Amino acid sequence: MLWSSLAVLLSCSFHEDGKLVFLAWCAVYVVQVLTVGIFFHAEVHASSSLGSWGDRLYTVGNGLVPSTLCVLPLAISVRHLWRGWKVSKQVLDEVSSLLAVEEGLLRALVPDSVVSRLLQADGVEMIADRYEDTAVMFVYLCDSDEQFSIGGPREDKESDKESAQRDKESAQRAVQWINDVYVKLDEVLEKRKSASGGASRLTKVETFNNFYLAVAGCDAPGTTRDQSPTWECVEAALEMVRAVRRIKRPDNKLTEIKIGVNAGPLCAGVIGQESPRYSIFGDTVNTASRMASLAERSAGGVIYVHLSHLAATKMSHTEVYEEMQRGHGVQLSPLAEKKEVKGKGLLQTYA
């Protein structure tokens, strides 16, 4: 019976909110020892010169004190250890959650092949790679600078406070507009990745000011692809035009974007120490930027994706043309006039 009480007493030590239960079982344990000593073991020392009550007190003390000195410190130590373990587990759970968030952010910003290397890196390895078959896509928001100056000049009777409030509201509307557009573009990439079971290799690289940059083809060596990097970019571009065409700018006009795509080799790596960023470099990137700046505007029902000659060559397969016509209702064709591209002269481009 006593050992049963001791077992319950120790189990209470592991209970998260078992302080009152622990104290209650301590009292029960003491009562049980007193009961055993007084009513069951008094006759063992009946001949003792201490007398019946003295004998009973001797029995109680002989049973209670040693066991109490053994059990209570053990129970208290176990309880403290249990509390320490609970705190440690909570800290580990929080750290695991933060690591999961960090990994999620990494996967949203860099290709999966680079994420695994970043998570395993000891802070010394430089991550830099060259890829031969990639496609780069630039998306430019048209008239973005004008949207940040919609507040206009200060009126004659307008106070400083009213002017500051008007400027603040104007800035909020412009930032909200850009955020709405970029969120839609992000959703296009995320939906493509989800629909392909994670097989989509199109990765957002960065957004800065009025442009959105994405790349396809920065895969780990030996990765198999369901689609070419160029078709990944072009198909995503068509979806992006449809995704943002109903978003209104601060001036109440529909959003207009210009999209350019180029294919070819590039270098990519993680740059920086305090705030590292995944970046891509090379002439392929520069030409893609030129394609976007020289593109016609896409707005409403107008879809215009400007491709370099090399990117169009990558799209020359019959099944790709059929998919563009069947799935998106558009055709790829060479432009009637060559484009004057900065640093490259006249180039034949496609849209």
Side-chain angles (χ1 to χ4, degrees):
M1 184 172 64
L2 289 177
W3 283 112
S4 299
S5 299
L6 293 178
V8 175
L9 190 61
L10 288 175
S11 69
C12 292
S13 301
F14 292 95
H15 198 279
E16 187 173 0
D17 300 318
K19 183 176 181 180
L20 294 178
V21 179
F22 176 77
L23 295 176
W25 273 103
C26 285
V28 171
Y29 169 72
V30 172
V31 171
Q32 286 181 337
V33 172
L34 290 172
T35 303
V36 171
I38 294 174
F39 295 101
F40 293 97
H41 294 282
E43 298 301 326
V44 175
H45 301 284
S47 59
S48 173
S49 60
L50 294 175
S52 59
W53 283 103
D55 180 67
R56 291 169 184 171
L57 291 175
Y58 173 80
T59 303
V60 170
N62 193 40
L64 179 62
V65 174
S67 59
T68 301
L69 292 176
C70 175
V71 173
L72 284 181
L74 178 61
I76 293 173
S77 299
V78 168
R79 184 168 180 79
H80 281 292
L81 290 174
W82 172 254
R83 288 177 175 174
W85 180 83
K86 291 289 289 184
V87 172
S88 300
K89 184 177 183 300
Q90 183 179 359
V91 172
L92 289 174
D93 290 342
E94 291 176 355
V95 172
S96 298
S97 299
L98 291 175
L99 290 175
V101 171
E102 179 182 346
E103 184 175 348
L105 291 173
L106 283 175
R107 293 192 183 281
L109 296 175
V110 302
D112 290 343
S113 58
V114 177
V115 171
S116 59
R117 293 163 61 185
L118 283 173
L119 295 176
Q120 297 173 1
D122 57 2
V124 178
E125 178 188 4
M126 173 177 285
I127 297 179
D129 301 290
R130 178 178 173 84
Y131 301 97
E132 297 300 327
D133 184 17
T134 69
V136 179
M137 175 176 64
F138 272 89
V139 181
Y140 282 119
L141 272 68
C142 302
D143 304 326
S144 60
D145 290 341
E146 289 81 349
Q147 305 311 309
F148 281 94
S149 58
I150 275 186
R154 177 175 174 176
E155 299 178 2
D156 294 336
K157 297 182 179 181
E158 191 175 36
S159 65
D160 291 341
K161 184 177 180 180
E162 291 173 338
S163 176
Q165 181 63 27
R166 183 165 58 86
D167 291 342
K168 179 180 179 180
E169 292 175 354
S170 175
Q172 288 175 339
R173 287 193 298 269
V175 172
Q176 184 64 53
W177 166 64
I178 289 182
N179 181 69
D180 291 343
V181 173
Y182 286 163
V183 166
K184 286 294 184 181
L185 301 186
D186 287 341
E187 288 177 354
V188 169
L189 299 192
E190 185 60 33
K191 287 179 180 178
R192 290 182 57 81
K193 189 172 184 179
S194 300
S196 63
S200 176
R201 304 300 175 186
L202 185 58
T203 302
K204 172 184 174 182
V205 178
E206 66 174 316
T207 58
F208 179 76
N209 197 2
N210 67 332
F211 77 81
Y212 185 102
L213 173 61
V215 63
C218 295
D219 311 321
T223 301
T224 57
R225 301 172 183 155
D226 296 331
Q227 295 178 322
S228 71
T230 306
W231 175 234
E232 285 253 19
C233 285
V234 171
E235 191 173 36
L238 297 174
E239 295 172 0
M240 287 176 174
V241 173
R242 294 188 175 95
V244 304
R245 62 185 177 183
R246 291 186 176 88
I247 298 177
K248 288 190 175 182
R249 307 186 314 198
D251 61 3
N252 212 33
K253 296 180 180 180
L254 292 177
T255 296
E256 298 177 332
I257 60 176
K258 299 198 294 185
I259 302 178
V261 177
N262 185 35
L266 57 78
C267 294
V270 178
I271 305 300
Q273 183 173 356
E274 294 298 327
S275 300
R277 293 290 185 273
Y278 183 76
S279 302
I280 55 178
F281 311 92
D283 184 65
T284 299
V285 183
N286 296 332
T287 303
S289 176
R290 300 285 187 267
M291 292 298 104
S293 62
L294 295 172
E296 299 293 334
R297 299 186 177 201
S298 295
V302 177
I303 298 178
Y304 190 102
V305 180
H306 196 199
L307 277 70
S308 67
H309 177 74
L310 183 56
T313 302
K314 299 283 186 179
M315 297 278 292
S316 61
H317 303 293
T318 302
E319 60 271 17
V320 173
Y321 278 100
E322 292 178 350
E323 175 64 23
M324 289 180 65
Q325 292 177 330
R326 182 176 61 254
H328 300 280
V330 296
Q331 289 183 329
L332 179 65
S333 57
L335 297 182
E337 296 182 1
K338 293 184 177 181
K339 293 283 187 178
E340 179 69 34
V341 180
K342 183 179 179 180
K344 295 183 176 295
L346 289 173
L347 294 181
Q348 178 64 63
T349 57
Y350 297 74

